[in-house]
Amino acid sequence: MTCAEARERMLEAERTDLSGATDSELSLHLRGCARCRRAANRILEAERELWGALAAATPGRGPDEALGLVRRRARRRRWAWRVAPLAAAAVLAIVWLGRPARVEQSARSPTPPAAGSGIAVEAPPGRSVAVFRSDNPEIVVIWYF
């Protein structure tokens, strides 16, 4: 068997053939060819790593444990759906009761315009107003406080 033929068969060969433990043509070639033996050893090492990774990824629970876990999570979820409306009602009650009370103001008459300003300005209820004239007759300052 040539090295090219051996490399072609290596990817489809059994692990025992790759390790040189059988009397197959590939196994006999690998015992006599160092270069092909190194390639076969790399394939075997990659295969061991793959099996190790697959074993680590396999779930540690059996089917009964997995079903129990799913049931417990479903119960927890149902409980949350029952409590969620109560929690929402409690939050709304806190917001509603915690809001500041509306202060009723007595109806006052509007603030009379500043004397001698020539401009009539009405202040909103509960506020005052001041009117200032400047040296420029087109500029008037109206101040609400």
Side-chain angles (χ1 to χ4, degrees):
M1 171 180 283
T2 65
C3 289
E5 291 171 336
R7 281 192 300 263
E8 224 175 278
R9 289 188 189 177
M10 277 188 219
L11 294 177
E12 297 174 2
E14 295 290 324
R15 294 171 81 188
T16 54
D17 285 340
L18 287 174
S19 63
T22 65
D23 290 331
S24 69
E25 195 176 353
L26 176 62
S27 192
L28 293 172
H29 177 81
L30 292 176
R31 280 188 234 147
C33 178
R35 184 175 174 203
C36 290
R37 190 171 41 250
R38 282 192 302 270
N41 286 337
R42 285 194 303 264
I43 292 171
L44 288 169
E45 180 61 31
E47 195 173 281
R48 278 190 291 275
E49 287 179 22
L50 178 62
W51 282 110
L54 287 174
T58 304
R61 295 186 170 97
D64 294 333
E65 288 180 73
L67 285 173
L69 179 65
V70 168
R71 286 185 186 121
R72 283 192 302 275
R73 286 183 181 169
R75 263 187 257 130
R76 237 183 274 145
R77 224 175 283 128
R78 270 186 258 131
W79 180 81
W81 279 108
R82 289 179 186 156
V83 173
L86 294 174
V91 168
L92 285 174
I94 290 170
V95 169
W96 181 262
L97 295 174
R99 66 183 172 83
R102 190 177 234 177
V103 178
E104 294 293 327
Q105 297 180 354
S106 62
R108 290 188 196 165
S109 62
T111 307
S117 67
I119 299 175
V121 179
E122 193 173 304
R127 300 196 62 188
S128 298
V129 66
V131 178
F132 299 100
R133 287 189 166 264
S134 66
D135 292 337
N136 184 341
E138 295 180 8
I139 298 176
V140 177
V141 177
I142 301 172
W143 179 33
Y144 291 98
F145 56 95

